[in-house]
Amino acid sequence: MKKYKAFFIGLIIVPIIAVLEYIGVFIIPENGQLEVFFVIIFWWLLISLPIHNWKYLRRYKKSFLRISSLLLLFLTALFIDGLMDIPDNPITFVLLMGFWLGSVYVLIPSFIKKYWKLILIIYGPLFLYFLYLRLFSGDVEAYLEIKQDFPFFIFFLPIPVLFLVWVFEQWKWIQNLKAEKSKSELEMLQAQINPHFFFNTLNNLYALTIKHSDKAPEVILKLSEMMRYTIYEGKKDFVPIKDEIEYLSNYIELHKIRYRNKVDIQFNHDIESNIEIAPLLFIIFLENAFKHGLEKNHETGYIHMNLEGNTQQIHFKIENNFELEKEDDTTGIGLTNLKRRLELTYPNKYELKITTENKVYVADLKIKLI
């Protein structure tokens, strides 16, 4: 009970409303019980919540003082309107305009700061016209007659329209920010993937040079082609699928040279040549297949890779056997980065299934292009 005592204190609004109605500050209509109920709930929460969150309000004293000033302004407008009992009291009108504009400033100050000149240009003439009608068009009856023919709702149109424009601009800014963040993150992930490949390939080249192999120049040539692809094409958002196939084929040829074509490596591809895809998506699977398959098992190891598709979908599948070994963290990092790249480049458009059974690793990736 002690925790929620502020809400019991807030019930003081009930006798206050009763006293104000008794002395005639305002009149509660006989058929307005539901309206009165919601008014009481509003003021009860308005009193209770500041007391309940007093420690929080002390931390944000400046904002609390602004809100309190607005509430005081609103109460003053109601008091003057009830006391003077004049239809469309100009003083009340001015106070309420100040209350609403102040509320918008407290809630979304950037909106007022951006559009205050436009608000002044729109509302200034409208307000002067209202004062002219109210004060210089004759008596109250003449004013009320003019009011019936004048669409006063136009006073309330500009700010909602401007607010919708501001909301759209904020949404657009957030979307651009997300796009920039995703692009930066994607570039970072690509940068993390590329060195992993080069370390593996340079190790292969090193092994050939130690043996004084005649295949070393061929490896250097293929490696230079792959470096060009990785450095220049790898930065692009999308590349022709035929370039990606050539890149994978060169990688396989480098390893075949090292193993003297004595390993079972198959790469079958049947795909339309006009398709484009994000670069360097499949190389992680192929690298892992070599590292955890053929590297450990030259005699009976194998890698079977298939790539097929059309303008609607690409289907990539790779299968290799492996020897049981201690889990390697670098493999997990590579696959984690790949999954993140897929999420950024093909959100909700890809399906990746990875299975390991009977010492056989299978990765099956489907990407929707439409």
Side-chain angles (χ1 to χ4, degrees), residues 130-144:
F130 164 76
L131 291 180
Y132 169 76
L133 292 177
R134 184 64 185 84
L135 301 175
F136 305 105
S137 61
D139 55 15
V140 175
E141 287 74 15
Y143 163 74
L144 294 176

Side-chain angles (χ1 to χ4, degrees), residues 183-248:
K183 186 175 181 180
S184 299
E185 187 174 354
L186 187 57
E187 291 175 351
M188 180 189 69
L189 292 173
Q190 287 176 325
Q192 291 175 345
I193 292 172
N194 297 342
H196 181 58
F197 159 72
F198 285 119
F199 282 126
N200 288 345
T201 307
L202 288 173
N203 285 336
N204 296 342
L205 180 59
Y206 174 76
L208 291 174
T209 55
I210 289 295
K211 298 177 182 179
H212 302 286
S213 172
D214 295 335
K215 296 292 184 179
E218 184 180 347
V219 171
I220 293 173
L221 181 60
K222 289 186 178 296
L223 179 59
S224 65
E225 292 176 356
M226 297 183 71
M227 287 181 65
R228 179 198 59 79
Y229 182 86
T230 305
I231 294 171
Y232 295 107
E233 303 300 315
K235 291 182 178 180
K236 296 181 179 179
D237 295 331
F238 297 95
V239 296
I241 190 66
K242 61 182 181 62
D243 293 345
E244 190 74 8
I245 291 174
E246 183 180 356
Y247 177 78
L248 295 171

Side-chain angles (χ1 to χ4, degrees), residues 5-63:
K5 66 179 181 179
F7 294 95
F8 291 99
I9 297 174
L11 292 175
I12 194 175
I13 191 62
V14 177
I16 290 176
I17 289 178
V19 171
L20 291 176
E21 195 272 340
Y22 177 77
I23 63 178
V25 174
F26 56 82
I27 299 174
I28 299 177
E30 294 181 359
N31 59 347
Q33 288 82 2
L34 185 62
E35 180 183 349
V36 172
F37 172 76
F38 284 113
V39 169
I40 291 175
I41 292 294
F42 171 77
W43 286 106
W44 170 60
L45 292 174
L46 200 64
I47 294 173
S48 303
L49 289 175
I51 299 174
H52 183 69
N53 298 285
W54 180 248
K55 292 182 180 179
Y56 176 83
L57 294 175
R58 286 183 63 184
R59 290 173 56 191
Y60 300 94
K61 184 177 180 181
K62 189 175 181 179
S63 298

Side-chain angles (χ1 to χ4, degrees), residues 301-320:
Y302 70 89
I303 298 174
H304 295 164
M305 188 166 63
N306 292 282
L307 179 62
E308 57 185 18
N310 49 41
T311 55
Q312 295 183 336
Q313 178 177 280
I314 290 177
H315 185 195
F316 173 83
K317 185 177 181 180
I318 187 169
E319 176 182 324
N320 67 276

Side-chain angles (χ1 to χ4, degrees), residues 26-149:
F26 56 82
I27 299 174
I28 299 177
E30 294 181 359
N31 59 347
Q33 288 82 2
L34 185 62
E35 180 183 349
V36 172
F37 172 76
F38 284 113
V39 169
I40 291 175
I41 292 294
F42 171 77
W43 286 106
W44 170 60
L45 292 174
L46 200 64
I47 294 173
S48 303
L49 289 175
I51 299 174
H52 183 69
N53 298 285
W54 180 248
K55 292 182 180 179
Y56 176 83
L57 294 175
R58 286 183 63 184
R59 290 173 56 191
Y60 300 94
K61 184 177 180 181
K62 189 175 181 179
S63 298
F64 175 67
L65 290 176
R66 288 178 178 176
I67 295 173
S68 301
S69 300
L70 289 173
L71 290 176
L72 181 62
L73 184 63
F74 183 72
L75 290 173
T76 303
L78 292 181
F79 178 77
I80 292 176
D81 192 61
L83 185 65
M84 300 181 69
D85 193 24
I86 300 174
D88 291 344
N89 188 337
I91 300 176
T92 304
F93 194 86
V94 172
L95 293 176
L96 288 177
M97 281 189 65
F99 169 76
W100 289 115
L101 289 174
S103 299
V104 174
Y105 178 77
V106 169
L107 294 174
I108 41 176
S110 58
F111 170 73
I112 294 295
K113 290 178 180 178
K114 183 171 184 178
Y115 291 112
W116 72 269
K117 292 181 180 179
L118 194 56
I119 292 172
L120 184 62
I121 292 172
I122 295 173
Y123 277 94
L126 287 175
F127 179 65
L128 293 175
Y129 184 59
F130 164 76
L131 291 180
Y132 169 76
L133 292 177
R134 184 64 185 84
L135 301 175
F136 305 105
S137 61
D139 55 15
V140 175
E141 287 74 15
Y143 163 74
L144 294 176
E145 185 176 347
I146 294 173
K147 180 182 176 181
Q148 290 179 354
D149 300 327

